[in-house]
Amino acid sequence: MNTEFPRILTLLRKEKGLSQKQVAADMGISQALLSHYEKGIRECGLDFLVRISEYFDVSCDYLLGRTMQRKTAAISADELPESDEIRHKKGNMVNQISKKILMNSTTVIFDLLAQIGSKELTNAVSNYLMSAEYQVFRTVYCSSEHNSQSIFSLDKCNYKSLTSASMSVELEMIDAFIKEHSLSLSLSPDILSNYFEKGAVSLFNLVQYAEKNVRKITGVKL
């Protein structure tokens, strides 16, 4: 049984200021059955899922908790590089899509940081992201023991542990800053979509792929 559907269904109804009685009447079902759906006592059928998605103007994937974007979390054609750009670059389509997702999502993050306007917070986030990319780049660069190490100053035996430790510290600094300054941005998938447009699509995909990968590696289930 999908555990996200009852929560999201209830959230959407309350967000619209509708009663169970009103939604049930509009959907042609009993209030008791809608209540069972919202409590997770019963699972709805495909027909109801499609109709309720149209009723609240959201995608079925959103109702099932498979994406944070209400309309769609799919990469659109506009998110991809131009065909000429693809032809003149090495790497397959997955490479290009991943690149777009990461670049656009990073842009959204730094646009949000610009709104906050804190040099301290921006530096902490930048250091965290730079350390992550440094670690990945150096690991790939060092795939051959014959490659020169002259561009690196950290010891090759412990750079991974050092950068991981640095990232943990930066993340703690980010958390501390947010708490100290009582930082609270009013955000939602709709706000992000309206403000950042294509960047939000990439960000929602990043969240979805990252969480899927975390569950896969750690064995954590929904």
Side-chain angles (χ1 to χ4, degrees):
M1 178 178 290
N2 184 285
T3 57
E4 288 297 303
F5 177 73
R7 179 184 66 80
I8 296 172
L9 177 60
T10 304
L11 176 66
L12 288 172
R13 178 180 62 78
K14 291 183 177 180
E15 191 178 80
K16 297 290 185 181
L18 300 172
S19 66
Q20 285 187 342
K21 182 178 180 180
Q22 179 63 56
V23 175
D26 291 342
M27 296 301 295
I29 62 174
S30 68
Q31 183 178 343
L33 181 57
L34 179 62
S35 177
H36 285 173
Y37 288 160
E38 290 191 0
K39 292 178 180 178
I41 297 174
R42 294 185 58 179
E43 274 193 324
C44 73
L46 179 60
D47 176 67
F48 179 83
L49 178 65
V50 173
R51 289 193 297 117
I52 199 68
S53 71
E54 294 175 347
Y55 182 82
F56 286 118
D57 193 25
V58 297
S59 70
C60 291
D61 276 348
Y62 178 79
L63 275 168
L64 296 174
R66 293 169 56 87
T67 175
M68 294 175 63
Q69 191 175 26
R70 298 194 175 198
K71 294 294 185 178
T72 176
I75 292 289
S76 66
D78 291 338
E79 285 291 288
L80 298 176
E82 298 297 331
S83 57
D84 288 341
E85 183 181 347
I86 293 176
R87 280 196 294 268
H88 288 91
K89 290 187 176 181
K90 295 181 179 180
N92 55 26
M93 186 63 73
V94 173
N95 179 292
Q96 297 298 326
I97 292 176
S98 296
K99 178 181 176 181
K100 281 288 185 180
I101 288 176
L102 289 169
M103 291 178 63
N104 292 341
S105 296
T106 302
T107 297
V108 172
I109 291 172
F110 278 94
D111 282 351
L112 290 173
L113 290 172
Q115 291 183 28
I116 297 170
S118 168
K119 182 179 179 180
E120 178 183 348
L121 181 60
T122 298
N123 284 339
V125 173
S126 299
N127 291 338
Y128 180 90
L129 295 174
M130 288 182 185
S131 292
E133 294 205 18
Y134 165 85
Q135 191 178 89
V136 172
F137 167 71
R138 185 165 180 179
T139 300
V140 173
Y141 182 91
C142 296
S143 58
S144 172
E145 60 181 14
H146 301 297
N147 292 340
S148 171
Q149 300 294 306
S150 61
I151 62 174
F152 306 116
S153 61
L154 293 179
D155 185 81
K156 66 179 180 181
C157 295
N158 59 13
Y159 75 89
K160 290 182 181 179
S161 60
L162 290 173
T163 50
S164 294
S166 173
M167 290 167 64
S168 295
V169 172
E170 295 294 348
L171 196 56
E172 289 293 333
M173 291 175 63
I174 294 170
D175 285 337
F177 179 92
I178 291 174
K179 293 177 181 178
E180 180 182 351
H181 294 81
S182 300
L183 185 62
S184 179
L185 292 177
S186 180
L187 298 173
S188 70
D190 284 345
I191 291 175
L192 291 169
S193 297
N194 292 332
Y195 189 83
F196 296 107
E197 298 182 354
K198 291 188 293 184
V201 176
S202 292
L203 183 61
F204 296 148
N205 274 276
L206 182 145
V207 171
Q208 183 177 352
Y209 296 155
E211 292 189 344
K212 180 179 179 181
N213 188 55
V214 168
R215 289 195 296 268
K216 178 181 178 181
I217 292 177
T218 63
V220 174
K221 297 182 179 179
L222 288 175

